[in-house]
Amino acid sequence: MFVIGVDSSTQSTKALVLDAGTGEVLGRGRAAHPDGTEVDPRAWWRAAQDAIAAATAEAPGPIAAIAVAGQQHGMVALGADGEPVRDALLWNDTRSAPQARALTDRHGAAELARRTGSVPVASITATKLAWLAEHEPHHADRVDQVLLPHDWVTYRLTGRACTDRGDASGTGYFSPADGRWLPDLLADAMGGRSPRLPEVLPPTGRAGHADLLDGAVVAAGTGDNMAGALGLGAEPGDVVVSLGTSGTAFAVAERPFADETGMVAGFCDATGRFLPLVCTLNAARVLSATAAVLGTDLAGLDRLALDAPPGAGGLTLLPYLEGERTPNLPEATGTLLGLRGTNMTPENLARAAVEGMLCGLADGVDALRRTGVEVGRVLLIGGAAESAAVRAVAAPLFGVPVEVPEPAEYVALGAAKQAAWAVGGAAEPPRWPLRTERREPAEAAAGREVRAAYAAARQQVHG
């Protein structure tokens, strides 16, 4: 039996055809998305069709099922005709930061954390709807239903508006603890308007059938982080740190979380459990931007960073190049501290970029610990996890063993696993092999010094 997993991410759609029994990848497809923080969602549907067509061209047989995982939080606002009333606002569009503050002031951080698992930041869907209502009321008046990016692609595959607990839990108007929408919070965000919301399906729910794939079953789909955890087979004690466009640290848990400080978002996962998560806006692009400044590529950045000592000769980079979500500093910019004539070298700047990016995520892992999450090991995934410098620096900063799974599209793999689970009818999702490279937290003292310097720099600049 063959299944397809789709990852509709910020930058592209990836599609994988897998053998549902073994997890072997048998076909691949990819199509790029437009750049920017607001995008016509019809571009995602075109990309999905292209990526699926390329992947199925390599498939050895008919496709039994498909599932779509997508970037979380994006606002897809549809009119009564089922078409977008405006371009979707993506998770990394920070224009709704004032609305996030207003929602928090109106309801209180503790109350919103209790009800929704999260304190609003500019990434969250509810804040984007509040921005729409305030700045584009003519568009807000036309909104008939609100979907998330993965819901939109599933909707185009099946004609049915549905979602899952995982992605729904990132909207700001869903209760992870109760598994239901909170329409009063939606109406409050939208200035009294009450658009329709998609049906929430269970983890093995079926959204319908895809004519595009000769009637293949379409599973519920989920958010990208939830799919990543499923693709890795993460269990309690594992913390997944994903270094893509954004950086995330998340863990599978048996109980819901509510952190009124706003550091940890209390999401649901794709299996019926929960996924406490910390997100930073700045991850892999910190490395690519630094490489560009140094006139090199990512391989060159690796070489430079590995030639510098821990602590980068006293340089510390606060890598808030696109604002920041955790800590909640949407208007922040990047700051390089500790410059002296003796340490202004390409090697130290490269090392400071790697350390700064990872320190932000290490703070996230510490925040998970404070909520009671057990941290036995870190699973490091995402494009930046392929960096030799990142692999060398990570374990001392996280202070626990770091395992780097072999490079793979784990979000698409998780979606494929969900598809196999939905069509197969088993009590648990399939267990596919996971091969990793393990790094022990050597040079722990040096890692603590780097973390301390980073914390001091953040306090100096942002209080």
Side-chain angles (χ1 to χ4, degrees), residues 44-62:
W44 301 334
W45 172 234
R46 290 191 294 269
Q49 293 176 88
D50 291 345
I52 290 168
T56 53
E58 303 176 36

Side-chain angles (χ1 to χ4, degrees), residues 100 103-105 107-120 172 185:
L103 288 172
T104 303
D105 290 343
H107 296 280
E111 177 68 5
L112 289 172
R114 183 187 68 79
R115 296 191 67 193
T116 73
S118 303
V119 178
L185 292 182

Side-chain angles (χ1 to χ4, degrees), residues 91-103:
W91 61 272
N92 56 350
D93 190 303
T94 60
R95 73 182 71 181
S96 61
Q99 287 72 34
R101 288 190 288 269
L103 288 172

Side-chain angles (χ1 to χ4, degrees), residues 69-458:
Q71 52 180 303
Q72 287 188 254
H73 310 308
M75 181 197 76
V76 182
L78 304 183
D81 60 357
E83 294 295 324
V85 301
R86 73 170 323 279
D87 287 352
L89 296 182
L90 276 59
W91 61 272
N92 56 350
D93 190 303
T94 60
R95 73 182 71 181
S96 61
Q99 287 72 34
R101 288 190 288 269
L103 288 172
T104 303
D105 290 343
R106 193 152 64 240
H107 296 280
E111 177 68 5
L112 289 172
R114 183 187 68 79
R115 296 191 67 193
T116 73
S118 303
V119 178
V121 292
S123 302
I124 300 294
T125 317
T127 73
K128 300 178 188 308
L129 291 169
W131 180 91
L132 185 73
E134 183 176 337
H135 290 273
E136 297 180 357
H138 58 294
H139 284 146
D141 287 342
R142 293 179 53 213
V143 177
D144 176 64
Q145 60 181 331
V146 180
L147 303 181
L148 296 161
H150 109 256
D151 306 340
W152 163 254
V153 179
T154 300
Y155 173 68
R156 295 305 301 263
L157 281 168
T158 65
R160 183 181 180 189
C162 56
T163 192
D164 84 307
R165 293 168 65 253
D167 219 0
S169 64
T171 59
Y173 43 84
F174 180 84
S175 168
D178 298 332
R180 60 181 178 85
W181 294 116
L182 300 170
D184 63 310
L185 292 182
L186 173 67
D188 177 72
M190 288 206 71
R193 303 171 183 86
S194 298
R196 292 183 296 136
L197 294 170
E199 179 184 358
V200 181
L201 299 179
T204 58
R206 297 183 177 191
H209 295 83
D211 292 340
L212 183 68
L213 294 165
D214 298 323
V217 167
V218 181
T222 193
D224 52 2
N225 294 299
M226 297 78 193
L230 186 58
L232 289 162
E235 296 288 344
D238 296 334
V239 171
V240 179
V241 173
S242 178
L243 302 174
T245 305
S246 65
T248 53
F250 52 89
V252 173
E254 301 293 346
R255 63 178 179 85
F257 284 79
D259 175 20
E260 64 183 72
T261 71
M263 280 286 287
V264 178
F267 296 151
C268 301
D269 82 340
T271 71
R273 296 182 290 188
F274 299 90
L275 199 80
L277 179 146
V278 176
C279 180
T280 67
L281 290 185
N282 299 279
R285 285 180 177 171
V286 175
L287 305 187
S288 58
T290 306
V293 166
L294 294 173
T296 188
D297 56 14
L298 292 173
L301 185 82
D302 269 356
R303 290 190 293 271
L304 290 168
L306 291 171
D307 282 341
L315 291 188
T316 299
L317 176 66
L318 300 178
Y320 305 153
L321 306 186
E322 300 181 43
E324 190 48 87
R325 169 172 166 178
T326 308
N328 185 22
L329 299 167
E331 288 88 23
T333 57
T335 308
L336 184 64
L337 295 94
L339 283 168
R340 298 181 182 277
T342 55
N343 66 9
M344 292 175 62
T345 68
E347 291 82 3
N348 284 333
L349 179 56
R351 181 85 181 202
V354 174
E355 291 178 344
M357 179 191 71
L358 287 173
C359 279
L361 272 301
D363 285 351
V365 173
D366 285 348
L368 292 173
R369 282 193 180 96
R370 288 193 293 273
T371 65
V373 169
E374 177 189 351
V375 184
R377 65 170 178 169
V378 165
L379 291 167
L380 196 64
I381 64 170
E386 298 179 31
S387 158
V390 167
R391 293 182 184 215
V393 171
L397 295 183
F398 291 124
V400 295
V402 169
E403 296 193 27
V404 184
E406 63 183 353
E409 299 289 351
Y410 285 101
V411 172
L413 283 171
K417 188 177 286 190
Q418 187 195 56
W421 192 16
V423 77
E428 299 290 336
R431 292 187 176 275
W432 294 334
L434 180 70
R435 290 177 286 274
T436 67
E437 172 191 313
R438 185 177 177 94
R439 298 289 182 98
E440 298 295 334
E443 300 181 333
R448 288 191 293 270
E449 290 178 6
V450 172
R451 295 283 309 280
Y454 182 85
R458 189 181 61 240

